Amino acid sequence: MKKLIAVLLAVLLVAALAGCGSTATSDNNTNDQAANVTATYKIGICNYVDHPSLNQIVASVKEQLATLSTENNVLFDIIEDNANADADVMNQIIANFIAEDVDLMVGIATPVAMAMQAATEGTDLPVVFAAVSDPEAVDLVDSMDAPGANITGTSDYLNTDAIMDLIFAADPDAKTVGLLYDLGQDSSTGAIEDAKAYLDKKGVGYIEQTGTTAEEVMMAAQSLADDGVDAVFTPTDNTIQEAELSIYEIFTEAKIPHYAGADSFALNGALLGYGVDYVLLGTETANMVCDILVGGKDPATTGVMTFDNGIATINTETCEAIGLELDSVKAAFEPYCTQIVEITTAEEFD
């Protein structure tokens, strides 16, 4: 028995020593990493609403900041939240960021950027926005080249004429186009006016339907289907995008192609999403954050970044369901796009 106890004690002692050795190695690694960090920056990221394109931006910003952290021997301490399209929640998140004494705020989409601008007016707290369709129109910046204050960022400005060209490339005989959007979305205002001007010039009729909730958007979509429009256009409208999974079957059953201003619409069932690469947009947003915090750039003189608008994403399942031949659609679109991407219906990007 004494020998058994002695053996057990020896085993326990070895295990304890091994554990101590492991902890010491871990502490040394942590200390080595800490020794390399020259500065720590606290960043608050607020997403406007949970949907694929905006989620892509947030993920891309965080991924690039992690890379830049290593490259620059700094630490980016990120606080992330989502307003879920609620203005009160959004303002509380921003107030929390300020109370946490963040060094910079990142606002995803126009409503968040505008709220951050209002909350930091007259201060030098930097704000970098992402995916704001028309920063000048909503008075976020004095100009795209020289923002003029503490705020700058990246824009997903939509070339409306280009996406309207795609509608008529696929269907030259289209007589009526439905315009589906949320009146309260600043990102839609200019694009809808551009679409009307394009259609007026072409002599093509249009029917407007709007909605501010998922239920209203479904009713609006059904109304356009009942009216028998030849196609439906939606800009980079977050409200409509949120509801896309609920409405795409309405258009599919009516054999009506839905054209929209972001690839997330096509992911969620629309025939086509047209616009920018949101992963790239997120990467460049992070680069801008680093330039300001680490490189000392002034947001007031850091121009807003825009991107190529020529990526057409086609939902192949929807294309077949509404009776279009994929190769013919791609051939019709090709002269108007820099790239054509095929996708199938899903809730989120892989």
Side-chain angles (χ1 to χ4, degrees):
M1 181 62 71
K2 288 181 179 179
K3 289 182 180 180
L4 178 60
I5 292 172
V7 171
L8 289 173
L9 287 172
V11 171
L12 289 172
L13 180 59
V14 170
L17 288 173
C20 289
S22 175
T23 302
T25 302
S26 176
D27 288 343
N28 286 336
N29 288 340
T30 301
N31 290 335
D32 289 343
Q33 291 171 355
N36 291 329
V37 172
T38 59
T40 299
Y41 301 99
K42 187 177 290 187
I43 300 170
I45 301 176
C46 180
N47 193 358
Y48 175 62
V49 72
D50 183 32
H51 85 54
S53 288
L54 302 187
N55 294 346
Q56 266 192 317
I57 296 170
V58 173
S60 181
V61 167
K62 292 166 63 179
E63 182 177 350
Q64 180 66 0
L65 285 177
T67 299
L68 293 169
S69 174
T70 302
E71 291 177 357
N72 292 277
N73 293 325
V74 299
L75 177 64
F76 294 117
D77 181 12
I78 297 172
I79 309 170
E80 178 189 349
D81 215 330
N82 192 312
N84 292 311
D86 187 311
D88 291 334
V89 172
M90 186 192 315
N91 289 326
Q92 185 59 56
I93 290 169
I94 294 168
N96 290 344
F97 287 166
I98 294 173
E100 289 279 350
D101 198 24
V102 297
D103 296 296
L104 181 147
M105 293 194 291
V106 177
I108 312 297
T110 303
V112 182
M114 294 176 69
M116 287 181 172
Q117 179 192 44
T120 62
E121 188 174 7
T123 76
D124 59 359
L125 177 59
V127 173
V128 175
F129 56 74
V132 172
S133 299
D134 197 340
E136 282 188 84
V138 295
D139 295 324
L140 278 175
V141 297
D142 292 341
S143 72
M144 299 289 277
D145 294 330
N150 64 313
I151 185 167
T152 187
T154 56
S155 172
D156 60 346
Y157 172 78
L158 179 66
N159 184 338
T160 305
D161 283 5
I163 195 169
M164 301 305 286
D165 285 341
L166 295 177
I167 293 176
F168 291 97
D171 184 5
D173 298 323
K175 297 293 187 291
T176 307
V177 174
L179 305 177
L180 178 62
Y181 62 103
D182 178 357
L183 281 167
Q185 288 282 318
D186 293 297
S187 58
S188 293
T189 306
I192 289 297
E193 291 306 312
D194 290 343
K196 290 178 183 178
Y198 179 104
L199 294 169
D200 285 339
K201 186 176 180 179
K202 200 172 183 67
V204 173
Y206 51 84
I207 298 173
E208 295 180 69
Q209 288 290 344
T210 65
T212 59
T213 66
E215 184 177 352
E216 289 176 358
V217 172
M218 289 184 68
M219 291 174 62
Q222 188 61 61
S223 180
L224 290 173
D226 292 343
D227 287 333
V229 297
D230 297 302
V232 173
F233 166 67
T234 295
T236 49
D237 189 302
N238 294 312
T239 301
I240 308 303
Q241 203 295 317
E242 265 196 290
E244 187 64 38
L245 281 169
S246 301
I247 65 173
Y248 84 93
E249 290 180 335
I250 294 174
F251 294 138
T252 300
E253 290 174 6
K255 309 296 184 188
I256 298 172
H258 187 191
Y259 295 78
D263 55 359
S264 54
F265 285 88
L267 175 75
N268 288 168
L271 170 68
L272 179 121
Y274 178 89
V276 307
D277 180 340
Y278 283 99
V279 173
L280 176 61
L281 185 146
T283 298
E284 293 299 342
T285 302
N287 289 340
M288 193 172 286
V289 168
C290 187
D291 286 343
I292 292 169
L293 290 178
V294 181
K297 281 195 173 182
D298 183 359
T301 57
T302 301
V304 176
M305 185 175 289
T306 57
F307 300 84
D308 171 39
N309 234 223
I311 302 173
T313 302
I314 301 172
N315 186 309
T316 56
E317 293 172 338
T318 299
C319 185
E320 180 181 0
I322 64 177
L324 297 179
E325 205 277 319
L326 178 61
D327 288 341
S328 297
V329 171
K330 289 170 66 176
F333 287 170
E334 191 170 358
Y336 302 94
C337 304
T338 58
Q339 183 181 359
I340 295 177
V341 176
E342 297 177 22
I343 205 167
T344 55
T345 307
E347 187 172 349
E348 291 282 348
F349 290 103
D350 293 333

